[in-house]
Amino acid sequence: LNGKLWKRLQIEEDDPSDGTSWYLINCVAGVELDLLAQCRMVTSHFPPTDVEKFVVPVQRTLRSHGDKKKVVDVKVRYPGYVFCKIRLTEDVYETLQELELARSWMGTVNRKGHKKLPPAPIPLNYEEVKKFKGLEEETEE
């Protein structure tokens, strides 16, 4: 998959007047927090109108070992996914697509005749966003 995928997938840029939308990036389960850090690092120069935030919803539980030792377990709620609130543009897409830990975008099925191309990303709709817990609250940094 050498070269730019944006044009080959015929992705349309999000309308600036619509603001940002939620997208999902798939990764290997267990590296979500590493991918989250990579996403934030490589998009730090993008304007907030294009990249609003990246989220990995987590659940924290407190358990104790003995009398005084407390341990906080951090468990990722949706293994294998990083949520992105972005405006999909060619620059944002290509930057995130090139990350080593990112496997693919959740989106449409592959186009007929293009089996080797990854799916084109589509935003989550309002109902889907409501189903995912932890997107709007404070999450793992």
Side-chain angles (χ1 to χ4, degrees):
L1 290 176
N2 297 335
K4 305 277 184 196
L5 289 172
W6 180 266
K7 288 184 174 68
R8 289 170 57 193
L9 289 172
Q10 301 168 350
I11 302 171
E12 290 187 22
E13 194 168 283
D14 288 349
D15 188 334
S17 64
D18 292 341
T20 56
S21 300
W22 284 104
Y23 289 87
L24 273 172
I25 297 179
N26 178 247
C27 64
V28 174
V31 300
E32 300 87 359
L33 298 179
D34 296 331
L35 178 58
L36 176 69
Q38 279 187 359
C39 289
R40 288 177 174 168
M41 187 179 69
V42 299
T43 60
S44 61
H45 67 283
F46 284 106
T49 54
D50 288 350
V51 177
E52 190 172 326
K53 65 179 169 178
F54 295 94
V55 177
V56 173
V58 295
Q59 181 175 358
R60 288 186 167 88
T61 53
L62 185 65
R63 60 185 172 95
S64 61
H65 282 280
D67 292 337
K68 297 179 181 176
K69 207 172 189 181
K70 304 269 189 240
V71 178
V72 177
D73 286 332
V74 177
K75 183 179 177 190
V76 174
R77 288 187 189 203
Y78 309 105
Y81 295 100
V82 173
F83 293 82
C84 319
K85 193 160 189 188
I86 59 174
R87 186 174 77 83
L88 197 64
T89 64
E90 183 173 359
D91 287 342
V92 172
Y93 173 81
E94 292 293 347
T95 300
L96 294 173
Q97 180 67 34
E98 290 171 0
L99 293 176
E100 285 182 30
L101 295 177
R103 291 193 348 199
S104 66
W105 294 79
M106 295 295 103
T108 60
V109 294
N110 293 330
R111 291 194 170 85
K112 194 171 185 179
H114 297 283
K115 290 182 181 169
K116 293 193 191 261
L117 292 177
I122 56 171
L124 298 173
N125 64 38
Y126 178 73
E127 292 302 316
E128 290 170 323
V129 171
K130 277 184 14 182
K131 289 179 188 175
F132 290 109
K133 293 180 181 177
L135 292 186
E136 297 298 339
E137 60 197 49
E138 284 302 309
T139 54
E140 191 62 27
E141 290 298 320

